[in-house]
Amino acid sequence: MFEMLLRRAQQSVLVIFVMSILAFVGINLVGNPIHLLVAPDAPLEEIQRASHALGLDLPMYQQYLRFVTNALHGDLGNSFVFNQPAIGLIFERMPATFELAVAALLLSALIGIPLGMWSGLRPGSRVHKLAMGFSVLGVTVPVFWLGLLLILVFSVNLGWLPSGGRGPTTSLLGVQVSFLSWEGLQYIILPASTLALHNIALVMRMTEAGTREVAVQEYVKFARAKGVGAVRLMMRHIAPNVMIPIVTVMGIEFGHLIAFSLITETIFAWPGMGKLIIDSVLQLDRPVVVAYLMVVLLLYVVINFVVDVLYLILDPRLRTKSA
């Protein structure tokens, strides 16, 4: 098991190194931010002085080496626009994005897993048909269209929920969160529902397929023949085996929720990392864009590593193979 985790850690370091090159080179090929930071009619000497101050006059490989050296010391550069450490700007917005992603993940689990298991145990029933129809809808509906529709219905027409913003926040262990008050929860309902729809459909389909597969196994039939109750049968024999792939998928999807909350945060004016990166791309604020990509990449790697550990814990067969 230790050797397997060590091998995954080595692979993770390699992925971070390769993706850092791709991210840095890709961002540096998109426009020159000096034209946004200096007046168009500025003299050439001023443009050259600003380029030198920002290190934009160096060859790309030297810029990358300097970036890596500083990154190893926790410095991902200063924002061209805000003149603040880029990593600081990312960390300021991270709690809002994490709160939204966790809320969406909880909705995916609380709705998708029970409905998927119920549908898997009763194939062909009305609940099964409704659940599968909903899963198709969840996969095909565009996020931006759903977000606008929810705003139109629940904010504009009914006036039940706010249409944007994060609302009032409360300090929890030094981190500002909004879910501790009812008013704050009202602001998170619509964006979290928008972000969670696709994952609800995905979790529901996987849970339904896994439940149908496990329910016909011999050990389940034997447990039924012994008179094991429905609840114990589900919790003891069916759910643990169904949850193994679900944990993997939800772990990966959590990374997706963090990385791809851009559209949702923009629609609902949610002050998270997604909205920050959209503004930074429009302003060609390279340090913030690169810092965002590296932070998200690191989160992806850590989440995948944790998922691998959970997979080893949940599935004893993998521990046997790794041993």
Side-chain angles (χ1 to χ4, degrees):
M1 180 176 176
F2 176 77
E3 292 180 358
M4 184 176 183
L5 295 178
L6 181 61
R7 187 164 58 251
R8 293 297 176 89
Q10 292 172 345
Q11 293 172 354
S12 300
V13 172
L14 179 61
V15 168
I16 293 175
F17 173 69
V18 173
M19 291 304 298
S20 68
I21 296 177
L22 295 177
F24 190 86
V25 173
I27 294 301
N28 278 270
L29 291 177
V30 181
N32 189 352
I34 200 66
H35 299 304
L36 297 176
L37 303 175
V38 180
D41 56 349
L44 180 60
E45 293 78 9
E46 183 177 347
I47 295 177
Q48 292 176 344
R49 186 165 53 251
S51 297
H52 180 73
L54 297 174
L56 299 176
D57 57 339
L58 296 174
M60 188 176 297
Y61 76 92
Q62 291 187 11
Q63 293 185 43
Y64 175 74
L65 290 177
R66 188 170 69 170
F67 164 76
V68 171
T69 302
N70 293 335
L72 293 176
H73 293 84
D75 180 12
L76 295 178
N78 286 349
S79 167
F80 294 158
V81 176
F82 299 98
N83 196 26
Q84 297 178 22
I87 192 67
L89 293 172
I90 299 295
F91 285 157
E92 285 179 7
R93 306 294 187 96
M94 187 178 290
T97 298
F98 262 88
E99 186 176 38
L100 184 60
V102 170
L105 192 70
L106 288 176
L107 285 176
S108 304
L110 295 176
I111 298 175
I113 293 176
L115 282 179
M117 287 188 174
W118 184 274
S119 303
L121 291 174
R122 291 169 174 78
S125 64
R126 183 175 300 178
V127 174
H128 178 265
K129 294 178 181 177
L130 289 175
M132 292 303 101
F134 176 80
S135 67
V136 173
L137 184 68
V139 172
T140 55
V141 170
V143 173
F144 71 88
W145 184 86
L146 175 64
L148 295 175
L149 180 64
L150 291 180
I151 291 175
L152 179 64
V153 173
F154 293 100
S155 298
V156 178
N157 293 336
L158 298 177
W160 290 353
L161 297 170
S163 60
R166 194 183 180 192
T169 60
T170 306
S171 178
L172 177 64
L173 300 177
V175 179
Q176 295 297 318
V177 298
S178 60
F179 64 85
L180 293 180
S181 65
W182 169 241
E183 187 178 357
L185 279 175
Q186 289 179 316
Y187 280 87
I188 202 174
I189 290 175
L190 290 185
S193 301
T194 303
L195 195 60
L197 182 64
H198 173 80
N199 292 288
I200 291 174
L202 178 62
V203 170
M204 188 187 303
R205 276 196 168 272
M206 289 199 64
T207 306
E208 185 268 345
T211 303
R212 293 184 65 175
E213 180 180 353
V214 172
V216 297
Q217 298 296 318
E218 293 298 327
Y219 64 88
V220 176
K221 294 179 180 178
F222 182 72
R224 283 200 182 102
K226 288 178 61 178
V228 177
V231 176
R232 179 175 172 79
L233 181 69
M234 172 60 71
M235 300 303 296
R236 183 69 179 85
H237 298 281
I238 297 179
N241 293 284
V242 172
M243 287 304 298
I244 292 175
I246 300 300
V247 168
T248 303
V249 170
M250 292 190 67
I252 296 173
E253 287 301 313
F254 183 59
H256 289 172
L257 291 173
I258 294 174
F260 299 113
S261 61
L262 308 176
I263 299 176
T264 303
E265 290 186 3
T266 302
I267 293 174
F268 291 95
W270 188 265
M273 295 190 299
K275 192 172 186 304
L276 174 65
I277 193 62
I278 291 293
D279 296 338
S280 299
V281 169
L282 294 176
Q283 297 167 338
L284 290 180
D285 197 350
R286 288 179 181 174
V288 176
V289 176
V290 175
Y292 170 82
L293 293 176
M294 295 307 300
V295 168
V296 170
L297 173 63
L298 186 60
L299 288 174
Y300 255 106
V301 170
V302 172
I303 290 171
N304 284 332
F305 187 79
V306 172
V307 167
D308 289 337
V309 174
L310 291 176
Y311 212 91
L312 288 172
I313 295 173
L314 291 172
D315 194 341
R317 295 171 298 180
L318 292 179
R319 294 199 297 270
T320 303
K321 291 179 181 178
S322 61

